[in-house]
Amino acid sequence: MNLRLNLKATELRLGLPGSRSPERNPELSLLSSSKIDENSHFPLFSPKSVVSRNKRGFAFSEGTLGSNTEAHIIQSSMAASVQESHCEANDTKQNHSNAANNSNTPPTKAQVVGWPPLRSSFRKNSMATITSKKVEGKSGASALFVKVSMDGAPYLRKVDLRAYSVYQELSCALEKMFSCFTIGEYGSHGNEKLSETKLKDLLHGSEYVLTYEDKDGDWMLVGDVPWEMFIGTCKRLRIMKSCDAIGLAPRAVEQSCNRK
Amino acid sequence: MDPNQKRAKAVDRVDSVDTGAASSESTRMCPFPDEVLERVLSLIGSHKDRSSVSLVCKDWYNAERWSRRHVFIGNCYSVSPEIVAARFPRIRSVTLKGKPRFSDFNLVPEDWGADVHPWLSVFSTAYPFLEELRLKRMAVSDESLEFLATNFQGFKALSLLSCDGFSTDGLKAIATNCKNLTELDVQENGIDDLGGHWLSCFPESLSSLEILNFASLNSEVSFDALEKLVSRCKSLRVLKVNRNVSLDQLQKLLLQAPQLMELGTGTFMQELVSGPVTELKNTFSNCKHLVTLSGLWDATPLYLPVIYPACARLTFLNLSYATLRSIELANLLTHSKSLRRLWLLDTVGDKGLEAVGSCCPLLEELRVFPADPFDQEIFLGVTESGFVSVSRGCPKLRYVLYFCRQMTNAAVATIAQNCPDFTHFRLCIMNPGQPDYLTKEPMDEAFGAIVKTCTKLQRLAVSGLLTDRTFEYIGKYAKNLETLSVAFAGSSDLGMEYVLGGCPKLRKLEIRDCPFGNAALLSGLTKYESMRSLWMSACNVTMNGCRELAKEKPRLNVEVMKDEGSDDSQAHKVYVYRTVAGPRRDAPPFVLTL
């Protein structure tokens, strides 16, 4: 199957300007050229596929708010936040996001003054707390966050792998996180005792497989190795359409294709 | 009829500066002698009730002013210290609030004002026996603190919340000179922390402390001095230390002060365990009166269980500095069934909130803060489902502050049904102007549901994508609403007009980055005098609109803050408030009073 289908171009994928597009993603750049197909799985966002119901724009620097029916030029940092909001919020935002991508401008770090409304003393305290926790690296004390993306979902999530002790828990968590995006159903397999191989079956039920990128930059099917080894080597997760998972674990993928 | 009866307007009342409590017998309407009336009125604490009392008749006005011991001034520029001193001769306690609330979020430039010193000057002659001073968002200098410490002999209680302009040197002056100090509460201030020596300035003779809160100061204090202080202050009931106090040190402090009712710990983790964890656990279980617990910086699963013995009695648990995960929180909460107030970081996730819903049926207040509010890449934290879980398990919720990155109208409607008793509903969807993430609709119906169902609502903060419809709902249904915060919302002037045309009890309205212009501003002409203040920034209001307002309403101060380099005709930041003191005399150059 040709993985460079323009399907990808119409997938709703958002990202920070300059960081999601293949040329600039440092993690992807580690991939060998044979993995170039992976890059096509991170397409730039296409505004044409967005149905914008609301053209309302808003300004983020004070004093520049004008007519509410016009879309405003906004700082590209807010384009970054588009990753977390839904596409329909503002057509123009995506245009600017793409413009930023296309013109190779790095994302500005400017934020809206005084937003979110938190006292600076609180922010200082809590940020310091977060940083120190991440730096410690004590087992059981620190979290291990990896990004999780799902083909077709408009934004990605992060999960703390140390919050789980078996694949089943991870699968359930991801299920909940991404349930609003699956067209198929994950189904309620809750009563079954899931083994590591059955995880793939679960996901196959809805046309997706769970894959991860390991320390070597290879994309593997989740569930192949013992849990502890998995969290030690997993750098990011991706919920991939089964048909695109060719070359990862032929046996499992064939099964999935047969089931469709 | 006594022509002096029933003075309705604040201005008229304050102008009458009678000194005598004895009015002539022939005009007396009140059958009680003054002493009796004063005695009765002295039992009335609420300042709102006292204001009502003072409106009844001249006798009551006088009896009230002589019996008042505490005065609450919600806006320091609404009245002058001289007027206060003239009306209330026997004040012992003052609460004073200064800057508009958005100054907490850096929207108000430095040197804006709200200097406490003019107040202290007047009070030093009018109230030499002043005992308590509670300041919020005031500018306080070290000189002022020194002045306070040296001019008020019986001074007992100082509380500084969100103030700025002073350093730990000012605290030194307080510690050194206030011989009868019962309370020193320093929270979230813009303070210059020059070191922890201030604490060592408490004299050996000082044993009256009941409340000591220095949790938000960064420097290390002398533990020796702290330990001695705690051990000799037998009435100490509130102790909140800063992060530099270690677990071992906390252990020692708790042994000295088992009578504590409110504790803020220091860091809750240490590299080398010198005393066994069980010892700490025992110490906590000996604190039989502990009802409030906070601090808990860096709390880990290893040490968190030491507080379990105390959890059953806790009514307020502040975990907003502890990056707990859901499982850690769940374990903690199974011991904390009596909680009424809970503050969390959103690292606990929706799962953690499920645990809240199942463990804390008595919960009345929940605040969930974002651990990483500015990292736009991370999509963590809590969602609508966590909030719904809490609402299902905690029907007594009345106060919620919730920071999240996604919300739906349906979820909020469910929450409103589950918790109809909300008095304070502050929802912050962190991405400005974000719609319902499932339906893509504006969040109008969410807040509509809240105001329709929660009839006791006093405070509301809205967020997300909102059209004028939200404000139509608010204006129509929020009969008890007193404070409304709006950001990045609304479609036209109508939005603000709806609110100003409804909401009969509205006192504080703060708006930023909304498309409300002069028509909206002027629609509130008849309302602003019944409110404390209005803030509008980054809206569509112009100087002309503000001038018009100022012209029509001379008893309002209409202040515009100029922004460097912005269009001169736009009113960048507008602050409108009622006052009996006239225009500010201390306004800095960038504040124009129209």
Side-chain angles (χ1 to χ4, degrees):
Chain A
M1 186 173 300
N2 181 5
L3 291 173
R4 292 187 206 222
L5 285 179
N6 280 337
L7 283 182
K8 298 303 164 202
T10 57
E11 273 186 0
L12 302 180
R13 291 278 319 190
L14 304 179
L16 285 170
S19 68
R20 285 286 170 271
S21 54
E23 317 85 69
R24 254 166 269 113
N25 188 324
E27 289 176 295
L28 287 178
S29 67
L30 294 175
L31 299 175
S32 63
S33 57
S34 66
K35 295 279 194 313
I36 196 68
D37 295 338
E38 301 306 327
N39 294 344
S40 69
H41 292 152
F42 297 89
L44 297 180
F45 182 78
S46 164
K48 291 187 176 50
S49 58
V50 174
V51 175
S52 172
R53 278 199 225 164
N54 191 331
K55 288 212 184 284
R56 184 174 166 275
F58 46 90
F60 291 96
S61 57
E62 310 210 337
T64 62
L65 190 73
S67 156
N68 56 297
T69 54
E70 292 170 1
H72 290 279
I73 294 168
I74 57 170
Q75 296 160 354
S76 53
S77 65
M78 293 321 290
S81 76
V82 170
Q83 171 184 306
E84 296 171 10
S85 70
H86 271 252
C87 345
E88 282 77 3
N90 194 320
D91 203 8
T92 318
K93 270 198 260 191
Q94 285 86 48
N95 284 331
H96 283 279
S97 158
N98 275 329
N101 279 330
N102 294 336
S103 59
N104 289 351
T105 51
T108 57
K109 293 288 177 210
Q111 288 156 357
V112 181
V113 175
W115 190 264
L118 290 160
R119 290 210 184 114
S120 45
S121 58
F122 173 83
R123 294 191 323 246
K124 268 186 253 157
N125 270 318
S126 63
M127 290 305 284
T129 311
I130 299 284
T131 314
S132 69
K133 201 155 189 184
K134 276 180 182 162
V135 157
E136 265 158 31
K138 280 199 193 142
S139 68
S142 69
L144 179 63
F145 287 113
V146 297
K147 295 181 190 173
V148 189
S149 62
M150 175 170 166
D151 293 356
Y155 47 81
L156 54 81
R157 308 288 299 259
K158 268 195 182 181
V159 286
D160 171 12
L161 290 182
R162 284 207 224 278
Y164 315 106
S165 47
V166 287
Y167 283 110
Q168 176 184 357
E169 288 174 18
L170 174 64
S171 160
C172 287
L174 293 177
E175 194 177 319
K176 281 195 190 132
M177 248 185 228
F178 288 94
S179 58
C180 49
F181 301 129
T182 51
I183 302 160
E185 56 300 321
Y186 273 123
S188 50
H189 298 256
N191 290 332
E192 287 177 23
K193 194 169 179 287
L194 282 182
S195 68
E196 291 171 1
T197 48
K198 274 192 180 165
L199 169 68
K200 298 187 278 278
D201 295 338
L202 181 73
L203 293 174
H204 285 176
S206 58
E207 311 175 350
Y208 292 91
V209 291
L210 181 60
T211 63
Y212 71 101
E213 183 186 12
D214 68 5
K215 287 205 157 82
D216 302 326
D218 298 323
W219 284 88
M220 321 278 282
L221 220 55
V222 166
D224 281 340
V225 300
W227 175 259
E228 285 303 322
M229 195 187 297
F230 166 69
I231 64 174
T233 181
C234 171
K235 275 171 44 183
R236 61 194 301 158
L237 289 164
R238 182 169 158 216
I239 302 171
M240 202 186 277
K241 287 216 165 80
S242 340
C243 303
D244 302 332
I246 290 174
L248 290 177
R251 176 176 44 87
V253 174
E254 271 167 21
Q255 281 175 3
S256 85
C257 283
N258 288 340
R259 265 172 226 204
K260 273 200 280 201
Chain B
M1 276 281 236
D2 185 340
N4 293 322
Q5 278 177 36
K6 299 252 167 134
R7 282 150 195 246
K9 300 228 167 135
V11 179
D12 293 338
R13 270 190 288 123
V14 170
D15 281 350
S16 80
V17 281
D18 290 300
T19 51
S23 32
S24 72
E25 295 292 331
S26 58
T27 57
R28 182 184 289 275
M29 285 298 295
C30 175
F32 308 120
D34 291 329
E35 297 77 22
V36 173
L37 189 55
E38 274 183 47
R39 194 63 195 266
V40 169
L41 294 183
S42 68
L43 299 172
I44 297 178
S46 148
H47 61 271
K48 283 182 188 165
D49 287 342
R50 281 186 161 268
S51 291
S52 308
V53 160
S54 67
L55 291 172
V56 170
C57 65
K58 194 174 175 202
D59 287 331
W60 281 48
Y61 172 81
N62 280 318
E64 193 280 313
R65 58 184 274 266
W66 279 93
S67 63
R68 196 185 291 219
R69 296 289 170 266
H70 170 246
V71 67
F72 171 87
I73 298 157
N75 173 5
C76 65
Y77 287 118
S78 65
V79 69
S80 74
E82 291 83 6
I83 294 173
V84 173
R87 177 170 171 190
F88 300 114
R90 291 211 202 133
I91 294 295
R92 294 285 161 119
S93 163
V94 176
T95 301
L96 197 48
K97 296 188 182 180
K99 301 181 194 178
R101 195 177 76 94
F102 279 173
S103 73
D104 284 348
F105 318 128
N106 303 323
L107 289 183
V108 175
E110 275 181 45
D111 309 325
W112 177 83
D115 188 358
V116 75
H117 207 89
W119 292 86
L120 294 178
S121 301
V122 170
F123 290 166
S124 63
T125 41
Y127 309 134
F129 303 112
L130 187 70
E131 292 176 356
E132 293 183 7
L133 188 61
R134 296 175 197 288
L135 304 178
K136 188 169 184 181
R137 292 190 203 102
M138 298 290 295
V140 180
S141 66
D142 286 341
E143 290 71 36
S144 295
L145 289 176
E146 191 162 346
F147 185 87
L148 175 65
T150 48
N151 283 280
F152 298 88
Q153 296 313 312
F155 192 73
K156 289 186 179 167
L158 179 63
S159 165
L160 300 168
L161 175 57
S162 210
C163 298
D164 66 344
F166 62 104
S167 77
T168 43
D169 284 350
L171 298 181
K172 263 191 209 173
I174 299 288
T176 311
N177 295 298
C178 299
K179 310 277 182 237
N180 301 305
L181 200 67
T182 59
E183 174 176 347
L184 181 60
D185 186 339
V186 180
Q187 282 186 58
E188 307 214 31
N189 300 290
I191 181 177
D192 271 336
D193 198 329
L194 305 172
H197 325 287
W198 59 272
L199 192 122
S200 311
C201 292
F202 281 113
E204 301 267 329
S205 52
L206 187 115
S207 58
S208 45
L209 260 186
E210 296 170 22
I211 297 175
L212 178 63
N213 179 357
F214 61 96
S216 60
L217 297 182
N218 291 323
S219 336
E220 207 169 320
V221 299
S222 151
F223 180 69
D224 193 55
L226 177 60
E227 193 179 6
K228 291 198 175 110
L229 181 66
V230 167
S231 73
R232 65 177 182 268
C233 294
K234 299 295 177 200
S235 308
L236 193 68
R237 50 188 172 81
V238 176
L239 177 64
K240 297 183 182 175
V241 300
N242 67 13
R243 202 173 177 180
N244 298 308
V245 172
S246 71
L247 270 179
D248 282 345
Q249 290 173 336
L250 182 71
Q251 158 93 333
K252 291 186 187 147
L253 292 175
L254 290 179
L255 288 174
Q256 302 284 352
Q259 78 282 2
L260 279 180
M261 293 175 65
E262 296 185 26
L263 172 67
T265 74
T267 180
F268 222 68
M269 184 269 307
Q270 53 191 32
E271 297 273 348
L272 302 166
V273 184
S274 69
V277 165
T278 41
E279 203 181 310
L280 205 52
K281 209 166 184 173
N282 286 334
T283 309
F284 267 99
S285 78
N286 275 335
C287 296
K288 307 265 184 228
H289 304 275
L290 215 52
V291 288
T292 294
L293 191 55
S294 60
L296 300 167
W297 280 281
D298 321 306
T300 66
L302 179 61
Y303 286 104
L304 210 47
V306 308
I307 68 172
Y308 289 177
C311 283
R313 288 180 284 267
L314 289 182
T315 56
F316 178 22
L317 183 53
N318 180 354
L319 298 170
S320 57
Y321 294 111
T323 52
L324 300 187
R325 291 193 300 260
S326 58
I327 189 81
E328 293 153 2
L329 179 67
N331 288 337
L332 177 54
L333 290 180
T334 51
H335 298 88
S336 318
K337 308 277 184 169
S338 310
L339 281 182
R340 304 281 195 282
R341 301 172 65 197
L342 179 60
W343 294 17
L344 299 171
L345 271 186
D346 66 357
T347 51
V348 303
D350 287 336
K351 233 187 149 105
L353 293 180
E354 276 172 39
V356 174
S358 29
C359 295
C360 306
L362 302 176
L363 200 68
E364 294 172 11
E365 176 179 329
L366 175 70
R367 303 195 195 198
V368 182
F369 296 96
D372 261 329
F374 303 108
D375 192 331
Q376 287 154 352
E377 244 190 276
I378 291 180
F379 198 101
L380 288 171
V382 293
T383 72
E384 77 282 4
S385 100
F387 200 164
V388 171
S389 312
V390 176
S391 73
R392 269 196 219 113
C394 309
K396 295 191 180 182
L397 266 188
R398 13 154 244 103
Y399 192 122
V400 166
L401 170 61
Y402 199 81
F403 284 85
C404 59
R405 291 183 171 89
Q406 66 187 49
M407 189 51 61
T408 66
N409 287 308
V412 178
T414 305
I415 290 159
Q417 287 299 318
N418 291 338
C419 303
D421 294 334
F422 275 128
T423 55
H424 297 68
F425 191 84
R426 304 166 64 189
L427 176 62
C428 181
I429 302 168
M430 287 191 277
N431 189 27
Q434 181 171 304
D436 177 322
Y437 80 98
L438 287 180
T439 66
K440 319 295 186 258
E441 305 267 299
M443 294 297 297
D444 296 337
E445 297 307 315
F447 295 104
I450 290 289
V451 294
K452 282 177 201 165
T453 318
C454 307
T455 53
K456 301 180 204 161
L457 197 69
Q458 292 168 25
R459 181 171 181 186
L460 180 64
V462 299
S463 59
L465 179 66
L466 300 175
T467 70
D468 290 338
R469 168 135 283 188
T470 300
F471 303 103
E472 192 181 351
Y473 287 140
I474 294 173
K476 188 170 170 192
Y477 293 103
K479 299 290 181 206
N480 286 309
L481 192 67
E482 297 179 16
T483 304
L484 179 62
S485 306
V486 185
F488 306 104
S491 327
S492 73
D493 283 338
L494 272 182
M496 188 170 163
E497 286 170 19
Y498 283 134
V499 171
L500 291 170
C503 299
K505 294 200 185 166
L506 194 66
R507 293 190 301 117
K508 289 177 277 185
L509 181 56
E510 45 185 28
I511 300 172
R512 63 165 291 182
D513 294 273
C514 296
F516 305 140
N518 293 337
L521 177 71
L522 294 169
S523 71
L525 221 52
T526 50
K527 199 170 182 90
Y528 298 132
E529 275 182 15
S530 66
M531 290 169 54
R532 183 188 293 179
S533 64
L534 165 73
W535 168 280
M536 286 178 80
S537 60
C539 297
N540 289 345
V541 177
T542 69
M543 291 297 287
N544 285 334
C546 296
R547 280 192 199 103
E548 169 116 18
L549 176 61
K551 194 177 72 158
E552 294 293 321
K553 289 284 161 187
R555 279 203 292 237
L556 299 177
N557 276 356
V558 179
E559 296 180 4
V560 176
M561 271 174 259
K562 301 292 295 166
D563 194 41
E564 281 304 315
S566 76
D567 181 6
D568 271 348
S569 65
Q570 284 297 111
H572 184 59
K573 286 174 184 159
V574 181
Y575 186 46
V576 178
Y577 56 91
R578 68 179 174 189
T579 181
V580 296
R584 285 172 62 181
R585 278 160 289 165
D586 64 348
F590 59 84
V591 173
L592 301 174
T593 307
L594 302 176

